[in-house]
């Protein structure tokens, strides 16, 4: 589950803040929860929550969620 207000590190780099959860009904068959997140420049992005949390291979060869929650003070991973 995505923690709103928390900071997340993307597997390719960059830190983002989870701002909102929204419902997307555009696929016509089912509602889909979307994570609305913001980068350091203030740009808002949206991604289905299932993709936000899906496991991917990180550059260090370890499989983790695409975004992992980090401590905004020192940018250390909270979730491994």
């Amino acid at each position: 589950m995505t923690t709103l207000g928390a900071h997340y590190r993307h597997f390719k780099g960059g830190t983002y803040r989870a701002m909102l959860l929204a419902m997307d009904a555009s696929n016509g068959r089912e509602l889909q929860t979307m994570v609305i997140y913001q980068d350091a420049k203030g740009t808002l992005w949206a991604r289905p929550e299932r993709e936000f949390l899906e496991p991917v291979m990180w550059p260090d060869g370890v499989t983790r969620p695409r975004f992992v929650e980090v401590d905004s003070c020192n940018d250390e991973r909270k979730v491994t």
Side-chain angles (χ1 to χ4, degrees), residues 22-80:
M23 301 307 291
D24 176 18
S26 66
N27 67 7
R29 289 191 278 166
E30 61 185 66
L31 291 175
Q32 177 171 243
T33 302
M34 304 289 287
V35 178
I36 310 301
Y37 54 102
Q38 187 174 39
D39 66 20
K41 295 179 181 179
T43 303
L44 293 174
W45 299 85
R47 180 183 294 268
E49 187 174 33
R50 64 177 155 55
E51 288 181 17
F52 193 86
L53 300 173
E54 78 179 334
V56 296
M57 182 75 65
W58 279 58
D60 64 1
V62 177
T63 299
R64 298 183 185 90
R66 179 182 303 276
F67 289 85
V68 294
E69 190 173 342
V70 294
D71 180 8
S72 61
C73 294
N74 61 16
D75 205 32
E76 292 294 320
R77 276 193 289 251
K78 288 184 175 180
V79 180
T80 57

